[in-house]
Amino acid sequence: MANHKSAKKRYRQDLKKNAINVSVKTSIKTAIKNTKISLKKDEETSAKLQKAQSIIDKAVKKGILHKKSAARKKSRLFRFVNSLSS
């Protein structure tokens, strides 16, 4: 780590941002997993699917996920749901 005051501040900010980004990415994975589990158990799948989609879209808006990465995640999730429901 550098000894400049600005470099130390940037390092502290990066640690905070990293913790937030990891938290959001973990919540995305959890939402996708919960949607898949609820589908297998015939629970309220549409609400969980909508919530997962919302979490992914918010991550894109915050700049945590790339928009094409988010589109891929949503596409795979919808494709999974449609394959099991039909």
Side-chain angles (χ1 to χ4, degrees):
M1 190 171 97
N3 292 325
H4 293 288
K5 189 175 181 181
S6 61
K8 289 180 181 180
K9 181 178 180 181
R10 171 54 53 196
Y11 178 71
R12 288 193 313 266
Q13 289 174 335
D14 287 344
L15 287 178
K16 289 177 187 175
K17 280 278 210 186
N18 186 32
I20 292 169
N21 292 348
V22 168
S23 172
V24 171
K25 287 181 181 183
T26 304
S27 68
I28 290 171
K29 291 175 192 173
T30 304
I32 290 172
K33 185 178 75 172
N34 287 340
T35 304
K36 289 181 177 180
I37 290 172
S38 72
L39 185 68
K40 291 179 182 176
K41 293 183 178 180
D42 294 329
E43 292 178 6
E44 187 86 19
T45 305
S46 61
K48 291 190 178 187
L49 183 64
Q50 201 170 21
K51 183 173 182 173
Q53 184 179 4
S54 172
I55 291 172
I56 292 170
D57 288 338
K58 286 178 185 175
V60 171
K61 187 176 178 183
K62 292 177 184 176
I64 296 170
L65 272 183
H66 192 271
K67 65 180 182 178
K68 290 191 177 185
S69 175
R72 184 178 64 246
K73 286 181 185 296
K74 289 191 292 186
S75 174
R76 287 179 180 171
L77 184 61
F78 277 96
R79 191 169 48 190
F80 179 81
V81 168
N82 288 336
S83 69
L84 288 182
S85 64
S86 62

